[in-house]
């Protein structure tokens, strides 16, 4: 990032920070954020067994804390550089906001549903991935029924847990830090992702029709092609950097 770009970024962030202090702008952003939450927390209402009133109050609360977190996450740039003291303060503020949100959700839901909330949070990324795949199928004219969506979601959740363990094992075996280790880790990550995709397809094979399975496989194949290209580019850039440093 050159000086002009850094200056533009600093101006943009400062403007956003100032706009969020304006009550009308903040109210509009809060409403905008609130509208997106049912999509970014797919299946939450059913997973926790929330009533419409509970769901509304929870989403209202989450929208407010999400906006607080966004405000606290904006880095303070001085002469195009992140101010380290401000960054540490930002981390402290984000931790406080997270604790406050946890306490507020606990107060709203009670201990039993709060435990369900925590379990949901651990699977949220997988649920979002399943929703994205569902949207891909719908766009292709092959929408999933609720009965088909459930095994896809279950498969993604199971694979998330397995992949976390596999990635931890890969880090132990390969190590990290050197350019070679990073390249090997990227290749291993791609291999694990491809194995995950095969298992997901196997898990939903009896629930989806042939065309739906074909679309899912094509989507996974496209992702793999992009990941391989990204790995090659990263290797080339690392080699060029090493070459320039050696000259």
């Amino acid at each position: 990032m050159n000086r002009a770009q850094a200056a533009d970024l600093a101006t943009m962030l400062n403007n956003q920070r100032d706009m969020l202090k304006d009550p009308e702008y903040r109210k509009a952003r809060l409403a905008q954020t609130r509208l997106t939450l049912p999509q970014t927390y797919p299946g939450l209402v059913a997973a926790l067994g929330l009533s419409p009133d509970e769901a509304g109050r929870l989403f209202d609360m989450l929208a407010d804390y999400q906006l607080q977190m966004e405000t606290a996450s904006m880095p303070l740039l001085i002469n195009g550089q992140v101010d380290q003291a401000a960054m540490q303060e930002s981390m402290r503020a984000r931790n406080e906001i997270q604790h406050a949100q946890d306490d507020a959700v606990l107060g709203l839901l009670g201990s039993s549903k709060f435990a369900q909330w925590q379990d949901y949070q651990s699977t949220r990324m997988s649920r979002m991935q399943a929703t994205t795949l569902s949207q891909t199928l719908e766009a292709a004219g092959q929408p999933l029924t609720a009965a088909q969506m459930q095994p896809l979601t279950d498969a993604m959740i199971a694979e998330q847990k397995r992949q976390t363990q596999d990635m931890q094992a890969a880090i132990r075996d390969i190590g990290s830090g050197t350019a070679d280790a990073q390249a090997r880790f990227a290749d291993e990550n791609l291999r694990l992702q491809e194995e995950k995709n095969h298992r997901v397809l196997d898990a939903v094979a009896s629930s989806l029709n042939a065309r739906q399975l074909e679309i899912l496989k094509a989507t996974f194949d496209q992702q793999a092609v992009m990941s391989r290209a990204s790995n090659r580019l990263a290797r080339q850039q690392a080699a060029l950097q090493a070459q320039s440093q050696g000259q």
Side-chain angles (χ1 to χ4, degrees):
M1 181 185 300
N2 58 39
R3 290 186 177 181
Q5 291 172 325
D8 289 342
L9 177 60
T11 299
M12 181 187 71
L13 291 174
N14 289 334
N15 287 341
Q16 289 180 355
R17 192 180 293 109
D18 290 340
M19 284 190 296
L20 284 170
K21 296 176 183 178
D22 179 78
E24 288 300 317
Y25 177 81
R26 185 179 181 83
K27 181 179 179 181
R29 280 296 309 279
L30 188 62
Q32 182 184 51
T33 301
R34 170 65 176 82
L35 285 174
T36 67
L37 290 184
Q39 287 74 47
T40 56
Y41 286 85
L44 175 62
V45 175
L48 273 62
L50 300 177
S51 68
D53 178 64
E54 287 176 323
R57 286 188 289 160
L58 178 59
F59 283 135
D60 287 345
M61 180 185 298
L62 292 176
D64 183 63
Y65 280 109
Q66 185 170 312
L67 198 56
Q68 290 184 45
M69 189 70 76
E70 179 182 330
T71 304
S73 298
M74 290 181 183
L76 178 63
L77 299 183
I78 299 178
N79 296 326
Q81 300 295 320
V82 175
D83 181 81
Q84 294 302 317
M87 182 61 71
Q88 291 179 356
E89 174 59 23
S90 174
M91 292 176 62
R92 184 198 63 77
R94 292 199 302 270
N95 286 334
E96 285 189 357
I97 293 168
Q98 185 61 59
H99 288 310
Q101 176 180 295
D102 290 343
D103 290 342
V105 173
L106 175 60
L108 174 64
L109 300 180
S111 58
S112 178
K113 285 188 177 179
F114 182 72
Q116 293 176 296
W117 158 258
Q118 291 178 308
D119 181 66
Y120 173 89
Q121 286 285 72
S122 70
T123 63
R124 181 184 167 205
M125 185 58 65
S126 296
R127 294 174 185 272
M128 292 178 66
Q129 291 171 345
T131 297
T132 299
L133 291 174
S134 175
Q135 292 169 344
T136 298
L137 287 165
E138 184 174 3
Q142 292 289 328
L144 295 178
T145 65
Q148 291 175 317
M149 186 64 185
Q150 191 58 54
L152 177 60
T153 302
D154 291 343
M156 297 300 289
I157 290 174
E159 286 304 320
Q160 176 186 333
K161 296 177 180 178
R162 175 169 182 163
Q163 193 172 34
T164 298
Q165 296 173 345
D166 289 344
M167 294 299 289
Q168 291 173 344
I171 292 173
R172 289 194 300 270
D173 293 342
I174 297 174
S176 61
T178 66
D180 178 65
Q182 292 175 1
R184 290 169 57 203
F185 182 78
D187 289 341
E188 180 66 6
N189 184 33
L190 177 58
R191 184 186 70 80
L192 292 173
Q193 183 65 41
E194 291 178 337
E195 289 183 355
K196 167 193 170 181
N197 292 341
H198 286 307
R199 288 192 296 268
V200 169
L201 289 171
D202 288 342
V204 301
S206 61
S207 302
L208 275 60
N209 64 44
R211 180 55 180 154
Q212 289 170 332
L213 288 171
E214 181 183 347
I215 294 169
L216 276 188
K217 184 178 184 304
T219 300
F220 289 152
D221 289 345
Q222 289 169 359
Q223 293 172 350
V225 169
M226 290 187 292
S227 294
R228 292 192 194 98
S230 177
N231 286 358
R232 286 196 300 272
L233 179 60
R235 272 199 170 90
Q236 292 169 0
Q237 291 175 337
L240 289 173
Q241 184 177 8
Q243 184 179 16
S244 65
Q245 290 175 346
Q247 291 177 348

